[in-house]
Amino acid sequence: MANTTQFNAGTPIKIAIMAMGGQGGGVLADWTVDLAEHAGWWAQTTSVPGVAQRTGATIYYVELMPGAAVEAAGRAPTLAMMPTPGDVDLAVAAELMEAGRAIQRGLVTPDRTTLISSSHRAYAVTEKAAPGNGIGDSNKVIEVGNEASKRFICSDLQALADQAGSVISASMFGAMAGSGALPFTREQFEETIRRSGKGVNPSLKAFDLGFQSAANAPVTASKIDFSKPVTEIPETASHPKVRALLDDIKTNFPAPAQPMLVAGLRRTLDFQDLRYAQEYMEHMRNIHKLDSQFGGLAKSWALTTAAARYVAVAMAYDDVIRVADLKTRGTRFDRVRDEVLAKPDQLVYTTEYMHPQVAEICGLMPAALGRWMQDSKSISNFINIFCRKGRFLQSGTLSGFLMLYVLGGVRRFRRGTLRHQVEAKSLQQYLQLIERTVRQDYDLAVEVVNCRRLVKGYSDTHERGNSKYQRLLRAAAELPGQANAATRLKLLRDAALADPEGTQLDKMLAQTAQPAAA
């Protein structure tokens, strides 16, 4: 591909690379410097580090100056230490929202900058902690990227790296070469990887995939299609009874609800056991029967589809047992090793931060004992003192792993714990309200089902979400028969999701207590 970078003699090419920890931004910057120096250019790289992971990505800045221009000037060039808004030729982002941050910082301009970004997402803490769906709009970034840059090249470079068994820095390097934004040949890029001497073959494969992706990229970056086709029911299952449940879904439930039903079945099965998954399916059969009577196809099976998700969420709640179970799974240790790019002969120790509260510890106990502990002021105070600062635990050591493993193994006794009894009672109230409501107002019943999205996480996050959820259910119980009931509950839920403290919800609840106008 022809070079698209325009620069004047005596003016360096300016490159900004945005990457998070572990994404190889430093490797990419070093490769770029090595590439230029072996081609007879002057090069310099600096970095402006962020705080940690998604709270602040590192910006690696590279400036390249042709050796001939330096010789003509008769002196060494003075290269900048950090990028200046409006003065960047090539911006490379290892993740889509980092491309958005580059645009926001003014590093991308339509008259000058080629912008290359991976389209995949690594969600920020604020996105994960939001009461509702806090995920940023990827297509908005792509739309703005097309307008803000001279050219925007956007593809899933992380998937290409995974396909090649390499890391994203290699596919990004390939995209830089394929974009034609730098005045170097493909062979020069590839020789740079070979000189590194580390993971050469997988890196070259990822480089090639990234190169082809950029070289064949459309003039305008395409938006991401998030619509997912209905997935097929798996044809195999490890247990005959699980197979029977999957066949039940395929035969007796409407097609729009089937993918979420399969996901819910898997989640409840993984959370507890086969009997628990069968309980989930029994709840769904009852809801599907109600849906057939009061909505069904005429309503696109909205009640069954929504309940398939949120009944599973309610049954597979987050608790200490679940956290310990997930932290001691072999797949988790493999994932951590992959994320930190550990070599086969390197040891990796993961330090877990555990900060259980009184509710979590009492909820772990047998119901009667846990309730007595929770009601005892002296015991609650003692637990608060013991857990006030939290504890650090190395799950890679024998003692740390065994502690978590034993705690995760308590799930076989989960049904007898206080927390499970509380959650089971809450689920029963939820299902009963759905049944009462659907007989009077189908659309309102669907909104009741969706209220469960407020409850997630554990500790303070769970407490805040559950408090708002309970207030919504109390309001929903009073709405049947009133005008615009479904719309009013949806507005209440949106208010609860938008306000972590619930102040806006309380104001709207006071207004909702008054009968709505027709």
Side-chain angles (χ1 to χ4, degrees):
M1 188 172 182
N3 171 38
T4 60
T5 301
Q6 299 178 359
F7 59 93
N8 300 319
T11 301
I13 296 177
K14 300 169 182 180
I15 307 169
I17 300 169
M18 281 68 66
M20 298 177 292
Q23 289 187 317
V27 172
L28 184 59
D30 291 342
W31 277 350
T32 305
V33 169
D34 183 74
L35 164 71
E37 289 180 341
H38 277 80
W41 288 52
W42 284 63
Q44 174 181 280
T45 179
T46 58
S47 63
V48 181
V51 180
Q53 299 296 332
R54 280 317 313 261
T55 57
T58 298
I59 298 179
Y60 299 89
Y61 183 58
V62 182
E63 288 200 356
L64 311 177
M65 176 74 77
V70 176
E71 291 180 5
R75 61 183 177 84
T78 301
L79 302 178
M81 303 290 288
M82 60 186 300
T84 302
D87 192 27
V88 174
D89 298 296
L90 175 61
V92 184
E95 187 262 355
L96 189 57
M97 286 302 160
E98 295 307 325
R101 286 155 72 104
I103 297 169
Q104 193 175 43
R105 295 171 71 115
L107 302 180
V108 180
T109 51
D111 62 328
R112 179 172 182 176
T113 310
T114 297
L115 175 61
I116 300 173
S117 175
S118 179
S119 61
H120 82 285
R121 289 298 327 282
Y123 299 124
V125 173
T126 52
E127 290 178 291
K128 295 177 181 179
N133 183 3
I135 298 175
D137 187 349
S138 297
N139 283 329
K140 185 64 177 178
V141 177
I142 294 175
E143 179 183 338
V144 174
N146 284 324
E147 297 174 357
S149 62
K150 183 177 181 180
R151 188 185 179 203
F152 185 22
I153 298 172
C154 184
S155 60
D156 194 341
L157 298 175
Q158 181 63 63
L160 297 180
D162 293 341
Q163 180 182 337
S166 185
V167 291
I168 193 173
S169 53
S171 54
M172 286 196 294
F173 200 49
M176 289 170 62
S179 70
L182 297 177
F184 307 107
T185 66
R186 173 170 178 164
E187 291 71 22
Q188 288 173 311
F189 277 90
E190 292 177 336
E191 283 302 317
T192 302
I193 295 177
R194 292 189 181 96
R195 281 193 297 271
S196 69
K198 298 179 180 178
V200 173
N201 290 333
S203 293
L204 286 174
K205 185 177 180 181
F207 173 89
D208 177 64
L209 293 173
F211 183 96
Q212 298 299 333
S213 176
N216 299 317
V219 176
T220 301
S222 302
K223 291 186 177 181
I224 302 171
D225 183 8
F226 290 104
S227 61
K228 296 182 179 180
V230 176
T231 57
E232 293 294 327
I233 302 298
E235 293 299 329
T236 60
S238 58
H239 195 288
K241 291 185 178 180
V242 176
R243 178 69 259 169
L245 293 175
L246 289 170
D247 289 340
D248 183 20
I249 292 173
K250 187 174 183 179
T251 305
N252 300 318
F253 286 87
Q258 288 181 8
M260 195 58 70
L261 280 163
V262 173
L265 177 63
R266 288 174 173 167
R267 178 162 178 164
T268 50
L269 184 64
D270 182 68
F271 179 79
Q272 188 60 33
D273 51 30
L274 176 59
R275 183 159 63 92
Y276 204 60
Q278 291 171 332
E279 290 176 18
Y280 165 72
M281 288 303 302
E282 186 60 32
H283 293 319
M284 289 311 305
R285 290 187 196 99
N286 293 335
I287 289 176
H288 179 232
K289 183 178 179 180
L290 291 169
D291 200 348
S292 302
Q293 292 176 333
F294 300 101
L297 183 60
K299 294 288 188 176
S300 302
W301 302 100
L303 184 70
T304 303
T305 304
R309 175 182 183 181
Y310 289 113
V311 171
V313 169
M315 293 182 69
Y317 51 87
D318 291 317
D319 63 357
V320 177
I321 301 171
R322 177 68 169 170
V323 172
D325 178 33
L326 293 175
K327 287 183 179 294
T328 52
R329 294 189 179 184
T331 52
R332 194 244 182 175
F333 288 101
D334 292 339
R335 178 174 56 82
V336 171
R337 290 188 65 88
D338 290 341
E339 288 180 353
V340 301
L341 306 179
K343 298 177 181 178
D345 60 343
Q346 288 180 316
L347 298 177
V348 177
Y349 287 96
T350 304
T351 301
E352 319 287 354
Y353 178 66
M354 312 292 289
H355 194 189
Q357 304 295 314
V358 173
E360 281 80 42
I361 293 177
C362 294
L364 187 63
M365 301 294 144
L369 176 60
R371 192 170 291 108
W372 173 76
M373 291 173 60
Q374 201 168 44
D375 293 340
S376 172
K377 186 175 181 180
S378 58
I379 293 178
S380 296
N381 290 338
F382 175 77
I383 294 174
N384 276 325
I385 294 172
F386 182 75
C387 299
R388 182 166 48 199
K389 296 183 179 180
R391 293 291 183 271
F392 292 96
L393 183 69
Q394 284 195 338
S395 55
T397 63
L398 180 61
S399 60
F401 177 84
L402 286 177
M403 185 178 298
L404 289 174
Y405 186 77
V406 170
L407 186 57
V410 174
R411 81 174 189 168
R412 70 189 65 181
F413 307 111
R414 180 186 267 135
R415 288 183 175 86
T417 64
L418 174 61
R419 175 66 187 280
H420 185 77
Q421 289 198 4
V422 170
E423 293 293 342
K425 181 178 179 180
S426 175
L427 173 65
Q428 197 60 36
Q429 293 171 342
Y430 177 58
L431 295 173
Q432 289 173 354
L433 180 59
I434 294 170
E435 182 176 354
R436 291 197 306 270
T437 306
V438 74
R439 297 178 184 279
Q440 303 175 65
D441 189 330
Y442 182 93
D443 293 333
L444 178 60
V446 174
E447 295 303 326
V448 170
V449 171
N450 290 329
C451 285
R452 184 68 202 190
R453 68 179 295 189
L454 280 163
V455 186
K456 65 178 181 179
Y458 49 93
S459 191
D460 294 340
T461 301
H462 178 272
E463 185 177 346
R464 286 193 299 269
N466 189 58
S467 174
K468 291 185 287 186
Y469 164 73
Q470 295 295 342
R471 279 179 276 171
L472 281 181
L473 291 196
R474 287 194 292 270
E478 303 297 326
L479 284 174
Q482 296 189 27
N484 307 316
T487 301
R488 294 168 69 185
L489 183 58
K490 183 179 184 301
L491 291 173
L492 287 172
R493 190 180 70 251
D494 291 343
L497 291 169
D499 179 15
E501 302 304 322
T503 304
Q504 184 178 350
L505 173 62
D506 289 336
K507 292 180 179 179
M508 293 188 66
L509 284 172
Q511 297 172 358
T512 304
Q514 304 298 324

